[in-house]
């Protein structure tokens, strides 16, 4: 007997059809049935050995709409800045500024693989805000961890629990879980910064809290917090390379092991990279430094890991892939990155996303340095024992970097 004789196409085909109908009916009862058509939904996993793998393939049935596979993507500054400029234009001519009726003047980046969700990776939200002179975002607090990466040369501030942080290009200003914060711009020109948050993760965990009434019951309706500590306060306490103060509480906001060092300065990050430029660096990352919570030595947030890397002129990194979603913003220089077989060229303020476990490498194609900032959820993946990384050697062979 041959294999062919065992196949009964007509009946099988009918069975497939009936199963699809069954699945459709079952939806009314909040039940999902395994069928042939939706089979890829059962295996959206990665594999190194081939075989029966969906390898990220989306299903065709009703499950597909809820699957989350972020896609590699690049947002060009030339393109997205136009929307910010238009918002600023509307705001400057309006009787009521958009910041009053829309809470913020910002755009949110949506990953083309995530069905319009307000997120760039499975865990990260990215907004890009523009503040006109005089704009104020009132004091508020939330459980999602957040940061601002400053794109404008200068201008604008964030007040974190009374610490006034003056913003300059390349600065990263943190508002950890549960820290009251407000923003504004008292300079003469609009300021732009990137807001990064672990908001989608907190929503997924049903752990998103937001409060907007500063000092409830106190009769205070101040939009901005009083400045209790001058610009540079947390830097004077925690920015001393391996030294931390013993006479202050390290607690900020809510939760465990918060980061009390809330203002990483672009100029200091740049200078630190510069001091290491003659080192060989990492073949997969170039000269890279991790921003850490100085109290714990761990990533900036329990969920998100922030890093900065210098690629010297002509430098090309070897391919690497990691079990995390990574957001990249170009701070300096020109180059191109290959992400999952697609090539993206880039210049300052361009933004890219590298999905989970997709091969990527970077090349500095310019004649000057390139500086990339990255934010990834490797901090979270590492804490739950799921962080793995592979690289390729010069010979193209796969190396297990983190088992
Ligand atoms: Fe906020």
């Amino acid at each position: 007997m041959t294999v062919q004789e065992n196949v009964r196409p007509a009946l099988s085909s009918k069975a497939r059809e009936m199963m699809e109908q069954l699945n459709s009916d079952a939806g009314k009862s909040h039940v999902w049935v395994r069928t042939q058509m939706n089979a890829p939904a059962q295996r959206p996993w990665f594999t190194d050995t081939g075989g029966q793998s969906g390898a990220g393939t989306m299903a065709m049935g009703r499950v597909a709409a809820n699957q989350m596979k972020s896609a590699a993507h690049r947002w060009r500054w030339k393109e997205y800045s136009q929307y910010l400029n238009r918002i600023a234009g509307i705001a400057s001519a309006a009787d009521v500024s958009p910041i009053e009726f829309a809470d913020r003047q910002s755009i949110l980046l949506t990953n083309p693989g995530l069905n319009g969700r307000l997120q760039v990776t499975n865990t990260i939200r990215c907004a890009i805000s523009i503040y006109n002179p005089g704009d104020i975002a009132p004091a508020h607090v939330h459980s999602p961890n957040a940061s601002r990466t400053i794109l404008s040369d200068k201008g604008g501030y964030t007040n974190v629990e009374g610490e006034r942080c003056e913003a300059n290009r390349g600065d990263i200003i943190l508002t950890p879980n549960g820290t009251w914060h407000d923003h504004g711009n008292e300079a003469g020109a609009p300021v732009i910064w990137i807001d990064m948050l672990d908001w989608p993760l907190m929503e997924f965990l049903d752990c998103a809290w937001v409060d907007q009434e500063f000092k409830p019951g106190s009769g205070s309706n101040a939009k901005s917090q009083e400045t209790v500590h001058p610009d540079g306060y947390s830097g004077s306490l925690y920015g001393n390379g391996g030294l931390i103060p013993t006479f202050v509480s390290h607690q900020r906001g809510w939760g465990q092991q918060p980061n009390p060092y809330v203002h990483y300065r672009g100029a200091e990050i740049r200078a630190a990279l510069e001091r290491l430029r003659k080192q060989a660096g990492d073949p997969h990352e170039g000269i890279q430094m991790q921003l850490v919570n100085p109290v714990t030595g761990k990533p900036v947030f329990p969920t998100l890991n922030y890093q900065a890397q210098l690629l010297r002129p002509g430098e090309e990194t070897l391919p690497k892939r990691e079990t995390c979603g990574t957001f990249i913003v170009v701070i300096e220089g020109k180059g191109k990155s290959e992400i999952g077989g697609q090539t993206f060229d880039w210049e300052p303020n361009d933004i890219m996303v590298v999905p989970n476990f997709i091969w990527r490498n970077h090349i500095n194609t310019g004649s000057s340095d390139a500086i990339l900032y990255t934010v990834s959820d490797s901090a979270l993946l590492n804490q739950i024992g799921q962080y793995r990384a592979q690289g390729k050697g010069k010979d193209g062979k796969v190396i297990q970097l983190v088992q």
Side-chain angles (χ1 to χ4, degrees):
M1 183 186 286
T2 65
V3 174
Q4 280 298 318
E5 285 171 297
N6 274 335
V7 178
R8 290 178 290 178
L11 184 59
S12 175
S13 181
K14 184 69 181 165
R16 288 181 182 123
E17 197 180 302
M18 289 168 74
M19 288 296 282
E20 297 302 341
Q21 184 58 49
L22 178 61
N23 186 30
S24 178
D25 293 346
K28 296 168 203 149
S29 307
H30 301 282
V31 169
W32 182 81
V33 181
R34 286 176 192 264
T35 71
Q36 183 184 47
M37 196 165 82
N38 64 29
Q42 300 160 34
R43 35 180 203 271
W45 53 65
F46 300 100
T47 181
D48 285 330
T49 53
Q52 196 186 44
S53 163
T57 311
M58 300 289 271
M60 293 161 66
R62 60 192 154 96
V63 171
N66 297 316
Q67 283 188 316
M68 295 185 58
K69 275 284 178 190
S70 58
H73 195 68
R74 174 203 49 213
W75 293 263
R76 288 186 192 277
W77 166 250
K78 276 182 194 157
E79 196 174 348
Y80 75 75
S81 60
Q82 292 175 23
Y83 298 105
L84 295 166
N85 293 334
R86 283 167 65 180
I87 292 172
I90 292 168
S92 62
D95 50 345
V96 180
S97 166
I99 203 165
E100 300 291 333
F101 58 76
D103 285 340
R104 294 287 179 280
Q105 284 166 185
S106 61
I107 56 175
L108 275 76
L109 304 185
T110 58
N111 186 298
L114 295 176
N115 300 315
R117 287 185 173 86
L118 299 178
Q119 56 198 87
V120 286
T121 73
N122 289 47
T123 57
I124 301 174
R125 172 176 291 180
C126 170
I128 306 165
S129 300
I130 185 161
Y131 287 78
N132 277 346
D135 282 346
I136 291 176
H140 64 284
V141 64
H142 40 74
S143 58
N145 294 288
S147 68
R148 265 119 247 113
T149 303
I150 313 302
L151 296 184
S152 296
D153 286 341
K154 61 178 182 175
Y157 66 87
T158 292
N159 191 315
V160 189
E161 290 193 330
E163 176 173 346
R164 167 98 173 195
C165 301
E166 300 290 347
N168 291 286
R169 180 166 174 83
D171 288 5
I172 296 175
I173 301 173
L174 307 182
T175 50
N177 169 19
T179 51
W180 282 94
H181 53 282
D182 56 83
H183 317 286
N185 178 10
E186 294 173 353
V191 293
I192 295 174
W193 60 63
I194 299 175
D195 302 286
M196 308 287 305
L197 308 97
D198 57 15
W199 197 291
L201 177 67
M202 294 307 151
E203 274 194 0
F204 180 75
L205 298 173
D206 200 12
C207 195
W209 294 70
V210 180
D211 282 301
Q212 315 237 35
E213 191 184 347
F214 187 52
K215 293 185 182 170
S218 70
S220 164
N221 62 352
K223 290 174 94 177
S224 303
Q225 297 173 86
E226 240 175 81
T227 297
V228 180
H229 305 296
D231 184 42
Y233 172 71
S234 75
S236 67
L237 289 173
Y238 296 102
N240 299 305
L243 299 168
I244 58 169
T246 59
F247 58 91
V248 291
S249 164
H250 304 313
Q251 183 67 35
R252 295 287 184 282
W254 307 331
Q256 292 79 49
Q257 299 194 330
N259 189 344
Y261 188 20
V262 295
H263 191 178
Y264 296 75
R265 293 178 190 272
E268 291 177 3
I269 295 169
R270 185 69 177 87
L273 291 168
E274 186 65 30
R275 285 193 289 275
L276 296 171
R277 69 174 302 119
K278 295 217 166 77
Q279 300 293 317
D282 182 283
H284 302 97
E285 303 286 8
I287 300 292
Q288 186 180 50
M289 297 190 90
Q290 180 191 22
L291 282 63
V292 295
N293 175 339
V295 177
T296 62
K298 291 181 178 174
V300 160
F301 293 134
T303 49
L304 301 180
N305 187 31
Y306 289 65
Q307 303 190 107
Q309 65 195 123
L310 161 66
L311 301 173
R312 293 151 290 196
E315 185 164 5
E316 176 171 357
T317 63
L318 289 169
K320 182 176 178 180
R321 61 181 181 179
E322 308 168 271
T323 55
C324 61
T326 306
F327 174 96
I328 302 171
V329 58
V330 181
I331 298 294
E332 252 182 74
K334 289 187 174 184
K336 58 184 180 180
S337 299
E338 190 171 311
I339 307 172
Q342 297 182 72
T343 303
F344 300 101
D345 55 31
W346 41 258
E347 56 187 12
N349 297 353
D350 284 356
I351 289 167
M352 291 178 286
V353 159
V354 183
N356 203 320
F357 221 57
I358 297 293
W359 288 110
R360 54 86 175 155
N361 77 326
H362 308 302
I363 309 170
N364 178 351
T365 57
S367 53
S368 58
D369 289 344
I371 303 286
L372 305 179
Y373 282 7
T374 58
V375 181
S376 79
D377 55 8
S378 61
L380 171 71
L381 274 295
N382 198 29
Q383 291 209 73
I384 60 172
Q386 294 290 343
Y387 180 75
R388 300 172 68 206
Q390 293 179 335
K392 284 186 183 169
K394 282 185 183 160
D395 57 4
K397 283 192 182 148
V398 175
I399 310 159
Q400 201 69 35
L401 298 174
V402 180
Q403 191 64 49

